[in-house]
Amino acid sequence: MVINKYEMNQATVLTVDHTFYENAANLIAESRKMVASTANTVICVTNFEIGRMIVQEEQKGQNRAKYGITLIKALSEYLTSQFGKGFSETNLRSFRKFYLTYKEQIENIQFENIENNDLAIQQKASAEFKLSWSHYQVLMRISDKKIRKFYEIEAFQSQWSVPQLKRQYNSSLYERLALSRNKEEVLQLANEGQVIEKPQDVLKNPFVLEFLGMEEKAVYSESDLESAIISKLQKFLLELGKGFLFEARQKRFFI
């Protein structure tokens, strides 16, 4: 019997353990994640460094406010001519704000055996910035350092997208979690994020239900939530008009 090359290849493929293919695919997926993570870190460190350079250069001017405006405008024109889009005056001001916002946080990181101060700052920034630049643009709007640190930790640990981060912040996740906590636990919340220590903590994981318009409380009963949700559903169905029916809030079905 003659077996052609294609049939031999097919026979060989069929004898390989499927785990082999999964391992190869997982390796590629992980490598792509690493590339994306590295790219995000490089972008953040670069923007932080540009912000630092702008602040240091501004300090040389006698009229700092006027000098800063002129400096950013001139730098924007130069960088745009060299690299194209991405270096508008608005973006450069964001870089400056990024540096001023995270300057203290970066300086507080302890690194040893680094003589070059600039290199030390860059390495500290590389270790600290774990989110994308878009995430930090949202975080910079939070003036309270403790609250900003909480959202930064939660965004990283929970792998929030930028829209998810905005939604959690706009729905006051930090404040809702802190309602029933004492001062020490609030500080722990800021430094460590939300920590799941026991099964009950999973059940306390907050849902964003601000559309119900309920009075803000530390806890809600199941019946309160059920009533509020069904009221919204009832109103919605009735507003749809003809062709839709809301028969009852609780109706028994026999099967």
Side-chain angles (χ1 to χ4, degrees):
M1 183 177 73
V2 178
I3 301 178
N4 61 36
K5 184 177 180 181
Y6 174 77
E7 290 174 334
M8 290 177 64
N9 288 339
Q10 286 293 97
T12 302
V13 170
L14 292 175
T15 60
V16 177
D17 186 348
H18 189 68
T19 305
F20 171 77
Y21 303 119
E22 292 179 346
N23 290 340
N26 290 337
L27 179 62
I28 294 171
E30 288 300 317
S31 65
R32 289 181 176 178
K33 286 182 182 179
M34 290 178 63
V35 169
S37 176
T38 302
N40 283 330
T41 301
V42 170
I43 291 171
C44 290
V45 173
T46 301
N47 294 348
F48 181 84
E49 278 295 291
I50 292 175
R52 184 164 71 97
M53 293 170 65
I54 291 172
V55 171
Q56 290 178 344
E57 183 65 26
E58 284 176 340
Q59 293 172 349
K60 298 178 182 179
Q62 294 180 351
N63 187 338
R64 295 181 183 180
K66 184 176 180 181
Y67 183 72
I69 294 173
T70 305
L71 173 66
I72 288 177
K73 184 176 186 301
L75 180 61
S76 172
E77 292 174 354
Y78 179 78
L79 293 178
T80 300
S81 69
Q82 294 292 313
F83 303 104
K85 295 181 179 179
F87 299 98
S88 65
E89 293 180 47
T90 300
N91 285 345
L92 292 183
R93 278 190 284 270
S94 292
F95 299 168
R96 182 183 182 277
K97 183 179 179 180
F98 186 42
Y99 168 71
L100 293 174
T101 301
Y102 283 92
K103 174 178 179 288
E104 182 179 348
Q105 187 170 316
I106 296 299
E107 289 177 346
N108 287 337
I109 299 175
Q110 298 298 319
F111 269 17
E112 296 180 357
N113 301 324
I114 301 178
E115 296 180 0
N116 187 317
N117 188 52
D118 289 345
L119 179 60
I121 292 175
Q122 292 172 21
Q123 291 194 12
K124 290 178 181 180
S126 296
E128 182 68 14
F129 298 138
K130 300 175 182 178
L131 298 170
S132 72
W133 170 241
S134 297
H135 283 89
Y136 287 110
Q137 286 181 297
V138 176
L139 291 168
M140 282 190 293
R141 302 171 193 168
I142 304 174
S143 57
D144 190 299
K145 291 186 289 185
K146 296 190 300 293
I147 298 177
R148 182 172 62 244
K149 185 63 177 177
F150 165 76
Y151 284 107
E152 186 179 349
I153 293 171
E154 284 294 317
F156 175 71
Q157 291 182 347
S158 303
Q159 296 296 293
W160 286 345
S161 64
V162 174
Q164 286 174 318
L165 171 59
K166 289 180 179 178
R167 181 172 173 77
Q168 296 290 10
Y169 174 67
N170 291 334
S171 63
S172 303
L173 172 63
Y174 178 89
E175 288 77 8
R176 287 185 288 115
L177 287 174
L179 274 175
S180 60
R181 297 170 183 264
N182 59 35
K183 291 183 179 180
E184 290 183 0
E185 288 177 327
V186 171
L187 288 174
Q188 181 182 3
L189 191 65
N191 294 324
E192 300 178 12
Q194 186 184 10
V195 180
I196 306 298
E197 296 179 337
K198 51 187 181 293
Q200 293 90 325
D201 291 336
V202 176
L203 301 178
K204 292 178 182 177
N205 191 31
F207 291 91
V208 181
L209 299 172
E210 76 276 11
F211 63 90
L212 296 178
M214 298 178 68
E215 179 184 354
E216 188 171 314
K217 299 178 182 178
V219 293
Y220 297 92
S221 68
E222 184 178 343
S223 60
D224 288 341
L225 291 174
E226 177 190 354
S227 178
I229 292 171
I230 293 178
S231 294
K232 290 291 183 181
L233 289 173
Q234 178 181 350
K235 182 179 179 181
F236 173 71
L237 288 171
L238 292 176
E239 286 181 352
L240 291 175
K242 188 176 180 180
F244 295 89
L245 171 68
F246 186 88
E247 185 173 352
R249 284 178 171 257
Q250 292 188 2
K251 184 175 179 64
R252 178 172 294 178
F253 287 88
F254 295 97
I255 301 175

